[in-house]
Amino acid sequence: EKRLQSQRDSSALGDFLATRRPDLLFLSEVKMARERGDVSHCPKEEGDRRRILRAESTCLAGYECTFALGLKRAAGSAVLWRDGSAPRRLWRYLPDDLDAPPSDACDEDGRVLLTEWPSLLLLHTYSPNVGQTPESYRRRTNWDARVAEWAEHAASWASARGLAVVYMGDLNCAPQHEDVTWCRCNPKNRRGCACPLDACAQGSGATAGWMLAQHPSATDDGGFTGQNGVSPNERRGFAELLRRGGLVDAFRHHHPAPAGCPSPDPFADDTFSYRGWPGNDERDPAFAKYYRRGMRIDHALVSAALLPRVVACNILGAGESCAGAGFMGSDHAPIVLCLARGTSPRAAD
């Protein structure tokens, strides 16, 4: 995931595009807004428009960029595809009727981009953070239910037409305890450990997991206890999405979870797509705020029938909070999905 908010970020994005040459790139949290009624989704702020024009002539050269923007700068998404290629159809919302032509509707925050290609129905979302209020809990619960319901419908629709579904984006959920940094990152236990992984990350024993110990009274039933992204309700929502959509976690398919504690150096571990900002803790700057704890919250989910075409799925770099460890223009590290060419979900030519 990348943003176009500064010259430094856009330069890093340009280097990424020039080096990797992806066919398609989705961006979450572009933090731009549009005017009410503007169906072209042109950024309304003059400074934003100037930055995009500059980027299109420099780091985005060779790509066409399309936005999904809300009326506030809270979120927003973008998709880039190479010049000379374009999706058959594009939606900025989750359509109830996939046979109907796309309308000018848009998710209110610009969190959704859906594209149709010859063999794929490709969804990107920037899923809302669960927050820490009753209103934000309801919003995330409704979001998860709506996306899972749509994924089930899309899977049936796509299968009947010889298409596969791919769902990528910042889903703001670390679905398993292996998807968060282990207890070495706890400032009270920096010597490493030989304890079982569930004791590290799941909150048991002397090395109680920091993340799952957060917000202990978030809700009466404990459903949203834990650091945002690891609460029981969020993880149940992720599991329900996989089940109803017939989707497989492509990263975990290619990189099975470790049997014991992950890398002894969590800052060099390439299995996390996001780390908390290092902050400014005078006692130990490297462990401030979230203490650079890693979370795998950016995902590539694919129809089971597409697995024979999944050549690779990797997380690149370490994001901005681990300076010098592979910054690519964002506080998130990009997740890359590589598919063999084909005209059907199972074809791999």
Side-chain angles (χ1 to χ4, degrees):
E1 307 296 332
K2 298 176 179 298
R3 290 177 288 183
L4 298 173
Q5 295 302 299
S6 69
Q7 183 64 47
R8 181 198 61 165
D9 289 6
S10 60
S11 295
L13 174 57
D15 292 342
F16 175 84
L17 291 173
T19 302
R20 303 291 306 193
R21 294 298 296 164
D23 294 305
L24 198 67
L25 179 68
F26 288 103
L27 311 177
S28 292
E29 200 178 6
V30 296
K31 293 207 172 206
M32 294 185 287
R34 63 183 173 92
E35 295 284 2
R36 186 178 299 276
D38 177 14
V39 298
S40 70
H41 290 259
C42 176
K44 69 177 181 180
E45 299 293 338
E46 183 178 350
D48 289 336
R49 292 196 296 270
R50 285 201 302 267
R51 281 192 287 272
I52 294 304
L53 286 173
R54 181 180 66 234
E56 287 178 340
S57 63
T58 54
C59 70
L60 302 185
Y63 285 87
E64 182 176 342
C65 183
T66 296
F67 292 100
L69 304 179
L71 301 180
K72 299 179 181 179
R73 298 175 67 94
S77 306
V79 57
L80 285 70
W81 55 76
R82 289 187 188 182
D83 288 346
S85 65
R88 290 173 171 174
R89 296 187 292 171
L90 181 146
W91 299 259
R92 294 180 173 92
Y93 59 98
L94 295 177
D96 293 321
D97 184 357
L98 283 161
D99 289 314
S103 73
D104 293 330
C106 179
D107 170 77
E108 66 173 339
D109 292 330
R111 295 181 179 274
V112 175
L113 277 166
L114 174 67
T115 56
E116 181 187 356
W117 301 85
S119 66
L120 299 174
L121 189 63
L122 212 168
L123 171 66
H124 167 274
T125 72
Y126 171 40
S127 301
N129 190 291
V130 72
Q132 297 173 21
T133 68
E135 180 182 0
S136 65
Y137 297 151
R138 285 192 296 271
R139 182 185 188 193
R140 179 56 184 265
T141 299
N142 292 339
W143 171 276
D144 286 347
R146 168 60 177 146
V147 173
E149 177 185 37
W150 183 87
E152 184 175 28
H153 165 62
S156 176
W157 182 91
S159 178
R161 291 157 180 78
L163 305 179
V165 176
V166 174
Y167 181 9
M168 299 188 71
D170 178 356
L171 306 193
N172 263 316
C173 180
Q176 302 292 333
H177 57 266
E178 296 91 351
D179 298 316
V180 297
T181 299
W182 60 297
C183 61
R184 181 182 182 276
C185 281
N186 189 320
K188 297 180 180 179
N189 186 28
R190 294 177 188 155
R191 294 173 297 173
C193 72
C195 59
L197 182 60
D198 58 355
C200 294
Q202 290 287 60
S204 61
T207 56
W210 183 88
M211 286 191 172
L212 286 182
Q214 303 307 297
H215 317 306
S217 303
T219 52
D220 291 340
D221 64 358
F224 286 108
T225 296
Q227 172 62 28
N228 295 355
V230 304
S231 70
N233 283 356
E234 292 170 278
R235 288 178 164 179
R236 279 193 289 267
F238 189 91
E240 186 71 356
L241 167 66
L242 297 184
R243 184 188 70 80
R244 295 185 66 176
L247 298 169
V248 177
D249 183 337
F251 181 86
R252 273 288 168 244
H253 182 77
H254 278 260
H255 305 275
C261 284
S263 166
D265 182 0
F267 307 142
D269 198 316
D270 60 0
T271 63
F272 304 125
S273 63
Y274 173 79
R275 289 170 175 80
W277 290 94
N280 188 27
D281 188 332
E282 294 180 357
R283 293 169 300 174
D284 194 339
F287 289 94
K289 197 176 180 181
Y290 297 122
Y291 310 102
R292 286 182 175 169
R293 286 177 169 80
M295 303 175 71
R296 189 174 69 93
I297 59 175
D298 302 275
H299 299 280
L301 313 178
V302 303
S303 298
L306 189 66
L307 283 177
R309 285 179 56 191
V310 178
V311 176
C313 186
N314 298 308
I315 294 171
L316 306 180
E320 187 166 22
S321 58
C322 292
F327 173 64
M328 297 184 188
S330 172
D331 56 337
H332 289 243
I335 182 168
V336 176
L337 178 69
C338 181
L339 301 178
R341 295 188 181 276
T343 56
S344 69
R346 294 184 180 275
D349 57 2

